[in-house]
Amino acid sequence: MDYSKKVMDHFMNPRNMGTLENCDGIGEVGNAKCGDIMKIYLRVEENNLRVEDGRIVDVKFQTFGCGAAVASSSMATELIKGKTLKEAWDLSNKAVAEALDGLPPIKMHCSMLAEEAIHEAINDYLLKKGLEPWED
Ligand code: FES
């Protein structure tokens, strides 16, 4: 199986791996296909006017997953750092795979972990604020 240079780089040197103390939202998901798990931690700078404009000022991830899951989570956290909640919500696993110069088709499901964990973490943040969670 061929992995792009970017996939290998993010796998060997993952960005934003770890946990965040006192974070504002945590998302944890499992992958039904392989049983691997992913956790995303968000620190959010609130926007008092529009909740969706709150900004992700820090993000970390932890995964018990394969190399493609590590690389796609690393890239996903890089892509949502500094972005609004709405922008982070709209990040698709396809966009993450493209940013990595592609993933082998049988590894695409691994990149779903990051997308789903980001959604869970945003909804955890919204629920903690007493707001309605967003729908996929
Ligand atoms: Fe489980 Fe890739 S094989 S996340």
Side-chain angles (χ1 to χ4, degrees):
M1 199 177 324
D2 277 337
Y3 287 109
S4 73
K5 280 201 183 107
K6 275 195 194 163
V7 171
M8 290 312 292
D9 176 33
H10 279 263
F11 170 57
M12 303 296 280
N13 311 292
R15 318 323 188 242
N16 310 308
M17 196 148 75
T19 61
L20 277 183
E21 297 277 314
N22 305 318
C23 64
D24 301 304
I26 300 183
E28 182 172 352
V29 293
N31 191 317
K33 286 203 178 155
C34 61
D36 290 341
I37 40 183
M38 163 78 57
K39 236 171 156 175
I40 294 263
Y41 304 79
L42 298 179
R43 176 137 23 247
V44 180
E45 200 175 81
E46 204 173 324
N47 184 299
N48 293 327
L49 296 178
R50 281 158 50 98
V51 64
E52 57 268 44
D53 287 342
R55 210 161 275 284
I56 295 172
V57 289
D58 206 358
V59 49
K60 293 264 195 274
F61 80 93
Q62 283 182 312
T63 186
F64 185 78
C66 69
V70 171
S72 52
S73 308
S74 167
M75 178 56 90
T77 54
E78 284 288 275
L79 290 171
I80 66 169
K81 204 188 260 188
K83 298 278 163 57
T84 66
L85 291 175
K86 177 72 172 73
E87 287 165 339
W89 183 272
D90 289 340
L91 178 71
S92 70
N93 74 310
K94 286 204 185 86
V96 173
E98 270 165 31
L100 286 168
D101 294 334
L103 280 172
I106 64 158
K107 285 291 179 183
M108 276 306 283
H109 74 94
C110 310
S111 62
M112 281 305 295
L113 276 177
E115 179 187 318
E116 287 169 3
I118 289 168
H119 286 182
E120 290 291 315
I122 290 173
N123 276 340
D124 182 49
Y125 166 78
L126 295 172
L127 287 169
K128 281 183 178 144
K129 294 264 159 220
L131 301 164
E132 284 287 306
W134 294 346
E135 306 254 339
D136 278 310

